[in-house]
Amino acid sequence: MGPMRIPARYPVPRYSDPEDVRLTQVIEASTEPRMGGVNILGAPFDGAVLGRKGAADGPAAIRDAMSAFSNYNVELGLGLEGAKVFDLGDLTLDGSDTLAAHRQIEAEAADDIDPGSLLLVLGGDNSVSLPCIRAASKKLGPLGLVVVDSHFDLRGEIDGKPTSGSSYGLAVGELKNLDPRRAVEVGVHGFLNSRNYYEKAEALGITVVTAREVWQRGPEAVALEAYEVASREAEAVYLSVDLDAVDLAYVSGVSAPSAGGISADQLFRLVYEISRNDKVKCADVVELAPALDPTGRSARVAATTVAYIIAGHVARRERGTRSR
Ligand SMILES: [Mn+2]
């Protein structure tokens, strides 16, 4: 056992209808990762954010928002009542010490990664992706990476420390088994990235798909290409979702809201299509800062994203059944 965790809390459903099992009723608390399912782990840390703080409250807000959902999705023709979803609770992290927090996230995530399951990390600022990717590369072998984000996040360290803008650059720089030619960045757009970081992505051989290309080609086609690139000669694929990829009309509760991003629906379709693939063994959903969006919309989008990732995992087992 690692350090103490804070047990996950889901609100008690406001009503009980045997004809409508709520999504949160499918989720079981667990102190250990379980085989063959989805293991949720909260990383409430925002000590390395470059912009506005608040993502430390992300995991709790995502769980709260999930209580609004049924377990069935009409469009997918898919129910999650038989899903094996376990919640391992929240890590207890020191928000003032990025390096120590990252060491702890890496160690605990490594304990919870299982090649037969999906570890789904709820951030936390985007810096938490780095220790999770490190853990995945150490536990799972040759790794591919699919990122959905408005930003490249290819910065170096600042004052010797990683930030919320450096996770993917540091990961491909230090991890021998994460070939940047197996990294795909989806959703960059607008006046949000420097030419230098675009050229760095190109030089590294990272596949870049802009937000506009998602609108033009459709999320399913983009997801197919992204998984193909990321899974080539890889044992496992890591999916990292920065919610700021979504247009600020849907998601304003993030450190860096983006105008002109992809739509919420496009994000759901992207993550669902990617999560349906067997090699996806680790994922994160980061940057929700609920206090920055008092309407609760951003938390709803975050929670729906989590539900679609779980649905993608369930769809692996149900392949071949009718889908609408
Ligand atoms: Mn971002």
Side-chain angles (χ1 to χ4, degrees):
M1 276 296 290
M4 284 299 288
R5 292 182 180 174
I6 303 155
R9 281 177 36 196
Y10 290 91
V12 178
R14 291 219 179 83
Y15 54 87
S16 160
D17 176 356
E19 302 294 329
D20 180 6
V21 175
R22 314 303 290 168
L23 178 58
T24 53
Q25 291 177 294
V26 170
I27 301 172
E28 200 184 309
S30 178
T31 53
E32 316 243 300
R34 308 275 278 268
M35 294 278 286
V38 178
N39 294 299
I40 295 172
L41 177 65
F45 174 80
D46 60 11
V49 75
L50 288 175
R52 304 180 297 166
K53 281 187 186 284
D57 298 321
I62 291 173
R63 292 190 185 97
D64 278 351
M66 281 170 79
S67 69
F69 302 152
S70 183
N71 84 79
Y72 182 69
N73 184 302
V74 176
E75 292 159 299
L76 301 176
L78 188 73
L80 308 185
E81 67 272 66
K84 294 172 23 175
V85 188
F86 307 95
D87 198 318
L88 309 178
D90 284 344
L91 302 173
T92 49
L93 300 164
D94 179 352
S96 66
D97 188 340
T98 298
L99 293 173
H102 280 196
R103 276 194 298 272
Q104 192 187 335
I105 294 167
E106 181 182 341
E108 297 206 45
D111 283 344
D112 292 338
I113 289 171
D114 171 89
S117 307
L118 174 71
L119 179 67
L120 175 46
V121 176
L122 310 180
D125 70 41
N126 207 162
S127 82
V128 309
S129 303
L130 175 62
C132 295
I133 295 168
R134 283 175 177 151
S137 98
K138 279 166 197 162
K139 282 291 289 274
L140 299 169
L143 196 66
L145 175 67
V146 179
V147 173
V148 187
D149 195 326
S150 284
H151 309 95
F152 287 116
D153 289 353
L154 294 174
R155 294 176 201 276
E157 293 177 338
I158 295 180
D159 300 331
K161 284 184 281 188
T163 69
S164 61
S166 66
S167 284
Y168 313 122
L170 296 179
V172 298
E174 75 176 44
L175 300 171
K176 298 254 181 314
N177 63 3
L178 174 54
D179 186 332
R181 288 167 298 184
R182 282 196 305 263
V184 185
E185 300 212 74
V186 179
V188 290
H189 66 93
F191 290 93
L192 300 174
N193 296 280
S194 74
R195 184 193 298 274
N196 288 335
Y197 288 123
Y198 171 66
E199 288 175 352
K200 182 175 180 180
E202 290 283 294
L204 285 165
I206 293 173
T207 299
V208 175
V209 183
T210 65
R212 186 162 301 178
E213 287 175 275
V214 176
W215 287 94
Q216 286 166 342
R217 297 170 54 197
E220 283 80 11
V222 169
L224 193 72
E225 184 201 342
Y227 181 74
E228 209 174 270
V229 170
S231 61
R232 206 175 287 155
E233 291 167 47
E235 279 299 310
V237 170
Y238 188 107
L239 169 64
S240 184
V241 179
D242 180 344
L243 292 158
D244 74 21
V246 178
D247 191 274
L248 51 70
Y250 310 89
V251 172
S252 57
V254 287
S255 174
S258 80
I262 61 173
S263 74
D265 180 60
Q266 287 169 335
L267 176 64
F268 305 152
R269 287 155 63 190
L270 275 170
V271 301
Y272 175 72
E273 290 299 332
I274 291 165
S275 306
R276 293 179 65 163
N277 296 291
D278 291 335
K279 287 183 182 173
V280 179
K281 294 171 183 182
C282 204
D284 65 52
V285 176
V286 298
E287 288 285 322
L288 174 69
L292 300 176
D293 177 11
T295 71
R297 273 179 225 164
S298 306
R300 283 270 178 135
V301 172
T304 307
T305 305
V306 167
Y308 272 91
I309 292 173
I310 296 169
H313 195 266
V314 169
R316 298 179 194 183
R317 284 186 275 140
E318 302 204 349
R319 255 196 206 128
T321 59
R322 187 181 62 93
S323 82
R324 295 171 53 176

